[in-house]
Amino acid sequence: MRRRVGKGSAYQGPFLISGLQVGIIGVVILITLLISAWNAIDLRKVLDHSTEEYLNDVTMHMAGEIGNTMHHKSEDLAMISEFAAGYLPDSFGAGEDTAELQNFLEEKAGVLEFNFLTVIDRQGKMVHTEVPETIGKAELKGMAELDCVRAAFKGRTGTSYLGGQEIIYSVPVYGGDGEKSVEYVMVGIRSKEKMQNMIASKSFDGQSLSCIIDSSGKVILSPTDLKPFLQLDDIFKKSKDGKVVSEIDEMRKNMRRGTGGILAFTSTHQDELYLSYDALGVNDWVLLTIIPSDLIAGSSEGSIWRFFLILIFVMAVFFIFLIKVYRFFSTGRRELERYAFEDHVTGGMNQAAFCLKYEELACKMAPSSNCIVMMNVKGFKMVNERFGIEGGNEMLRHIHRVLQRHIKPSDDEFAARNESDNFFLCLRDAEPARIRARLRDIITEVNAFSGSEAPRHPVAFRQGACIIEHPGEEITILQDHARLAEQSVEKKAGEECVFYDESFVKRLKWEEEMNELFEESLRSRHFRVYLQPKVSPRTGEAEGAEALVRWQHPERGVICPSDFIPLFERNGKICRLDVYVFREVCALMAKWERMGKRLIPVSVNLSRQHFREPGFLEEFSGIAKQYRVRTEMLEFELTESIFLDEEQIDVVKDSIHRMHALGFTCSLDDFGSGFSSLGLLKEFDVDALKLDRLFFLDMHSEKARDVIACLMELAKKLNVKTVAEGIEEPEQVEYLRQVNCDMIQGYVYARPMPADAFEEKYVRGIMV
Ligand code: C2E
Ligand code: CA
Ligand code: CA
């Protein structure tokens, strides 16, 4: 899986929530809310519809009930009128006894709940019960003229009303002798209160209001509170809302047709109201009922809104939670990216980021157009030792900044610190000369230290590079190639960048072979110990010798130490080889002792790899004991590079003490070949100092001669013996004698030689 790294990088872990996911969830929440809202509206419509149906039912039922009651009252009146015929006098003229009829009427009015009962003759004369206060004298007088009374004289029963909203029922009274002409009419009046009780709603918690009107809109019977109906009047007459006007028109038509209906409207007080109407079946009268809309739909609508609000709240909480989780993970992701891809010292890319960046860009690379360069700071431990860890880190940051200035991101170039003092660069160039020139510029700028707080300590680099021939190749393999090239660079200052090529593959193969041959050669004693004498320039006598290993392979011939020692140093095999050489030396010395020869001290080289195992000296001392060789006759040569290894300093110090405790001596080998410091002599208790041949290459220079003289003097003062290595010319010997060098090891006296040759030439009998 490829991931993007660098600025604006997006590390997409499988367990993390992305902004896109949050967006999608947000949209899903929004859609859910919209669907819920749509559902709520739909539910509201269904509810409205069922409310209307319910209201219609209730009004129809009430209208039917009221109509029936009115019919019953008419029937009651008709029944009384039949009985009343028996009490009728001949006429209502003066002198006629109407007392009996009056009594009858009084009695029946009480029983059948009429407030007023009267019988009227064609002349308008009346016999009646007591006149209630609500009926005025004029009304009483005009009663005979009422339409319904006239209709009754024509044989029709009628219902009408008086101004005070009393309902009048009128029936014809037929004479007892079977005559068919109507001479009398009976009129019954029911008071307003009784009617109001009748229409007072028993539904809707008593919160609805009903009234009876005729088709022209005239109020026949109103409830106690007329206000809503008065508002209705306002709306009916003044409303300009097209919908309301057409609904009212429709209502009027329905009322005239005698059918019912329902109408929703907003009162002048902004109350939502329902108006339900239905014909009573009496005249053109209609029952109107007004109900506040929230009375019915209110509670369920409230529930809908409550549900809706809770839904919004839950969704909002969920969404906020999601955003929080997203924020938490995105900061976590940034942290993670920082830890995973940022170098904690330089703040630039680390190895992981370098690899990912390469993977990202590899597909765009043309073959053999880019290269990977490794830059390894030489002796960086020295910087750390001198300037402390913070000084070292500042130096790494300084190098990083210079690299950043030189690479061209527009050409997809990038650089990273790999580990400790190693930097890797990916450059868009495959021409070694140009690359070397660029690297030279970089190193020059690093050493200029302009505007930098890094310690002004000159730094050199070992550089190896590898041209990317196949961009699809694993980056770690390309880095290994650059590293191999870098490791092949001689330990000389100012060395140019080495490019990886086929010879490295051959070398790798060869090294593999060497490794395979090692075990067998060790068993078969293909490793031979050669000895080179250390001669005193004063006496010309060999006062010591150095054991140097040679690999004499039966098929491959003699293999030089410089070919296999570095390899075995890298893979740790050197330790077993050193023990082998030490055992051979002990065996040799034991033999010489047995032969009664005069022993001279023999030194063996001790690789730095031994110091990884703090108790390693015990094995050497055990071998010496086994061969009964006096340990004073044995010396360990330690290369100076070992003293620069910060982590091993204490182990080295302890080991030198232990060597002395066991009786061995030790010398500091190759002094002057690298970063030698005189401080080492003071710090480490060595017995001899082996000056590298580099010191003596230019003996003509006075300065070089003075340095040598000074060193000799200093060593004398510190009671450290001096050995000059690689001396080839007699003139060198002459000068070394003058400056009191203790011993000389070099071709001028002898090359390293097989043990028996050495024995013959330099090992003498005690008596000789
Ligand atoms: P060294 O310890 O510095 O050994 C001295 C090297 O200088 C030897 O190379 C020797 O042959 C060479 N030499 C001596 N006199 C002269 C001279 O006058 N002129 C020149 N040009 N060279 C001279 P050699 O034997 O090839 O060994 C190379 C290195 O391999 C040694 O350097 C030593 O570091 C390592 N080495 C050899 N044998 C062993 C061993 O048994 N164990 C370990 N750990 N290292 C070994
Ligand atoms: Ca040596
Ligand atoms: Ca040496």
Side-chain angles (χ1 to χ4, degrees):
M1 186 171 67
R2 286 199 171 166
R3 302 180 193 121
R4 288 198 339 102
V5 192
K7 260 196 176 159
S9 71
Y11 172 80
Q12 299 275 341
F15 59 94
L16 302 178
I17 298 175
S18 71
L20 182 72
Q21 283 166 311
V22 170
I24 290 171
I25 292 170
V27 169
V28 168
I29 288 176
L30 204 73
I31 289 172
T32 311
L33 283 176
L34 285 176
I35 290 174
S36 304
W38 181 71
N39 255 343
I41 292 168
D42 220 40
L43 198 65
R44 166 99 212 244
K45 274 187 197 156
V46 171
L47 221 82
D48 282 353
H49 185 69
S50 60
T51 303
E52 284 175 18
E53 276 187 349
Y54 174 63
L55 280 181
N56 261 338
D57 283 354
V58 170
T59 310
M60 198 171 81
H61 182 72
M62 273 171 69
E65 211 176 342
I66 293 168
N68 276 344
T69 311
M70 286 182 154
H71 284 302
H72 286 150
K73 283 296 152 200
S74 284
E75 281 167 10
D76 284 352
L77 200 67
M79 191 182 69
I80 299 169
S81 72
E82 273 176 37
F83 287 112
Y87 297 99
L88 284 174
D90 290 339
S91 77
F92 282 174
E96 289 292 333
D97 183 14
T98 57
E100 223 176 320
L101 179 61
Q102 197 170 353
N103 281 343
F104 172 78
L105 292 176
E106 291 284 0
E107 186 197 330
K108 293 300 168 196
V111 174
L112 294 170
E113 293 185 333
F114 281 100
N115 294 75
F116 180 71
L117 272 182
T118 180
V119 178
I120 307 172
D121 70 4
R122 280 191 179 267
Q123 284 75 45
K125 289 185 185 137
M126 301 168 136
V127 173
H128 56 78
T129 57
E130 197 183 326
V131 182
E133 278 173 18
T134 49
I135 301 172
K137 272 187 184 158
E139 274 178 330
L140 197 63
K141 258 192 171 175
M143 207 167 281
E145 301 304 318
L146 290 172
D147 287 347
C148 65
V149 176
R150 284 187 183 182
F153 276 114
K154 286 177 187 155
R156 292 195 297 271
T157 50
T159 314
S160 187
Y161 62 99
L162 285 179
Q165 298 188 3
E166 284 89 358
I167 303 291
I168 302 180
Y169 300 90
S170 54
V171 290
V173 181
Y174 296 102
D177 49 3
E179 64 183 84
K180 285 288 163 211
S181 67
V182 181
E183 293 304 319
Y184 297 96
V185 164
M186 182 172 273
V187 170
I189 292 179
R190 275 168 68 83
S191 76
K192 177 178 161 185
E193 282 73 24
K194 278 207 176 77
M195 287 310 288
Q196 277 177 337
N197 275 345
M198 197 169 72
I199 63 166
S201 171
K202 288 168 192 78
S203 311
F204 311 119
D205 286 341
Q207 290 195 49
S208 66
L209 286 172
S210 300
C211 79
I212 297 171
I213 58 169
D214 66 13
S215 59
S216 67
K218 213 173 195 181
V219 176
I220 292 161
L221 196 83
S222 68
T224 31
D225 182 7
L226 253 175
K227 262 187 220 149
F229 292 99
L230 294 177
Q231 285 173 17
L232 198 65
D233 209 37
D234 273 1
I235 291 163
F236 275 27
K237 285 176 185 151
K238 295 174 193 160
S239 182
K240 289 188 176 66
D241 182 338
K243 190 170 167 274
V244 175
V245 171
S246 78
E247 277 185 358
I248 289 168
D249 262 7
E250 173 77 20
M251 176 182 163
R252 284 200 177 114
K253 274 181 209 157
N254 281 347
M255 275 162 61
R256 275 198 292 279
R257 276 201 296 265
T259 51
I262 196 153
L263 174 68
F265 70 101
T266 311
S267 78
T268 44
H269 293 290
Q270 301 304 312
D271 299 318
E272 295 290 327
L273 299 170
Y274 278 117
L275 172 68
S276 162
Y277 57 92
D278 207 354
L280 282 183
V282 176
N283 301 330
D284 59 348
W285 295 1
V286 172
L287 176 73
L288 287 189
T289 304
I290 285 184
I291 305 131
S293 69
D294 59 359
L295 189 69
I296 295 168
S299 58
S300 48
E301 197 172 298
S303 303
I304 291 172
W305 279 110
R306 253 195 315 281
F307 161 75
F308 203 56
L309 285 176
I310 290 170
L311 193 73
I312 290 174
F313 177 74
V314 169
M315 293 288 187
V317 167
F318 178 66
F319 196 68
I320 290 167
F321 171 74
L322 208 73
I323 298 244
K324 290 251 177 225
V325 170
Y326 170 68
R327 286 223 180 118
F328 174 77
F329 277 122
S330 60
T331 35
R333 186 176 63 199
R334 276 197 293 278
E335 279 294 292
L336 211 71
E337 265 184 17
R338 216 164 59 74
Y339 276 119
F341 302 119
E342 194 182 287
D343 171 32
H344 66 280
V345 175
T346 62
M349 284 177 161
N350 63 6
Q351 167 67 10
F354 188 85
C355 292
L356 290 179
K357 185 86 179 170
Y358 178 80
E359 277 180 28
E360 190 187 315
L361 298 175
C363 50
K364 289 196 265 172
M365 281 180 195
S368 301
S369 62
N370 293 62
C371 70
I372 298 287
V373 178
M374 177 180 175
M375 295 181 81
N376 182 1
V377 184
K378 282 189 192 174
F380 186 70
K381 289 212 164 71
M382 197 64 182
V383 179
N384 274 337
E385 202 166 290
R386 272 188 66 188
F387 305 102
I389 297 293
E390 202 24 62
N393 284 349
E394 197 49 62
M395 179 69 90
L396 292 173
R397 280 192 280 274
H398 166 65
I399 296 168
H400 166 75
R401 281 193 295 270
V402 173
L403 289 178
Q404 291 305 314
R405 280 201 288 276
H406 277 261
I407 58 165
K408 298 174 201 149
S410 53
D411 279 351
D412 286 340
E413 293 188 340
F414 53 98
R417 187 178 76 110
N418 172 259
E419 56 183 30
S420 65
D421 54 356
N422 295 348
F423 289 85
F424 274 99
L425 286 72
C426 180
L427 303 178
R428 184 176 268 187
D429 207 333
E431 171 54 48
R434 272 203 307 266
I435 296 167
R436 284 195 180 110
R438 280 186 75 180
L439 293 173
R440 265 197 304 277
D441 288 349
I442 290 174
I443 296 167
T444 309
E445 193 173 326
V446 166
N447 285 301
F449 294 104
S450 51
S452 168
E453 287 175 11
R456 291 181 168 267
H457 175 87
V459 275
F461 291 87
R462 283 213 323 235
Q463 309 146 63
C466 137
I467 306 294
I468 305 170
E469 282 163 9
H470 311 288
E473 202 157 13
E474 279 279 314
I475 177 64
T476 45
I477 291 177
L478 296 169
Q479 283 180 304
D480 278 347
H481 290 173
R483 194 192 305 272
L484 269 177
E486 177 267 327
Q487 280 166 355
S488 73
V489 178
E490 282 295 305
K491 290 181 187 172
K492 284 183 207 156
E495 189 69 41
E496 292 265 83
C497 178
V498 173
F499 283 78
Y500 176 87
D501 59 23
E502 282 305 303
S503 70
F504 284 91
V505 183
K506 277 191 200 143
R507 199 191 151 95
L508 270 181
K509 271 196 187 144
W510 185 85
E511 285 188 357
E512 219 168 283
E513 266 178 67
M514 293 295 104
N515 277 330
E516 276 166 19
L517 295 177
F518 176 78
E519 296 292 337
E520 173 56 20
S521 287
L522 209 61
R523 269 197 304 276
S524 314
R525 300 166 63 88
H526 294 153
F527 290 105
R528 295 280 162 78
V529 173
Y530 273 45
L531 291 165
Q532 189 179 27
K534 297 173 189 170
V535 180
S536 159
R538 282 177 292 108
T539 60
E541 291 286 319
E543 294 196 347
E546 177 178 5
L548 293 157
V549 74
R550 296 288 178 268
W551 192 351
Q552 286 176 336
H553 197 266
E555 284 135 42
R556 296 185 165 264
V558 178
I559 308 166
C560 290
S562 54
D563 284 336
F564 62 85
I565 297 276
L567 166 68
F568 294 154
E569 284 263 3
R570 280 204 297 280
N571 61 25
K573 286 190 163 70
I574 192 71
C575 295
R576 293 179 55 206
L577 187 61
D578 281 354
V579 169
Y580 172 90
V581 171
F582 183 81
R583 188 184 290 275
E584 290 292 294
V585 168
C586 285
L588 204 58
M589 292 178 90
K591 183 184 139 200
W592 292 340
E593 190 127 48
R594 279 200 304 276
M595 288 164 72
K597 303 277 187 184
R598 184 172 68 92
L599 290 188
I600 51 168
V602 178
S603 61
V604 291
N605 292 286
L606 202 61
S607 163
R608 56 188 297 176
Q609 297 298 330
H610 290 282
F611 294 86
R612 289 169 184 263
E613 198 98 13
F616 73 94
L617 278 171
E618 308 312 313
E619 188 179 4
F620 287 93
S621 127
I623 294 169
K625 252 189 211 148
Q626 189 190 339
Y627 289 92
R628 295 208 176 88
V629 179
R630 281 175 291 133
T631 48
E632 310 89 82
M633 288 292 131
L634 293 161
E635 183 180 293
F636 292 112
E637 295 192 8
L638 314 178
T639 54
E640 60 164 19
S641 63
I642 205 169
F643 300 99
L644 301 176
D645 194 335
E646 218 175 289
E647 287 153 30
Q648 286 196 326
I649 274 181
D650 289 335
V651 183
V652 174
K653 273 187 186 170
D654 290 349
S655 300
I656 293 173
H657 282 141
R658 184 73 188 137
M659 277 174 201
H660 288 148
L662 291 168
F664 296 109
T665 55
C666 81
S667 56
L668 175 53
D669 198 3
D670 300 337
F671 185 83
S673 64
F675 299 93
S676 307
S677 137
L678 287 170
L680 292 178
L681 287 180
K682 195 164 58 86
E683 189 119 343
F684 298 94
D685 184 21
V686 293
D687 305 285
L689 184 63
K690 293 190 78 180
L691 297 149
D692 195 82
R693 63 190 288 262
L694 283 172
F695 272 114
F696 315 105
L697 288 179
D698 184 19
M699 294 281 275
H700 301 294
S701 137
E702 200 163 325
K703 214 171 185 182
R705 286 150 67 127
D706 286 349
V707 170
I708 296 165
C710 268
L711 277 172
M712 297 296 167
E713 212 172 306
L714 182 80
K716 281 271 124 56
K717 275 201 181 128
L718 292 170
N719 204 21
V720 171
K721 279 204 156 43
T722 47
V723 182
E725 277 192 301
I727 304 302
E728 293 177 354
E729 312 294 334
E731 299 90 76
Q732 292 170 306
V733 177
E734 186 46 42
Y735 180 72
L736 288 167
R737 187 182 294 128
Q738 281 173 29
V739 293
N740 289 325
C741 178
D742 294 308
M743 281 178 271
I744 287 172
Q745 180 184 348
Y747 296 169
V748 72
Y749 289 116
R751 290 183 174 244
M753 59 189 80
D756 39 0
F758 183 87
E759 185 183 305
E760 204 171 294
K761 213 166 171 191
Y762 296 101
V763 185
R764 304 182 201 293
I766 293 171
M767 304 312 288
V768 182

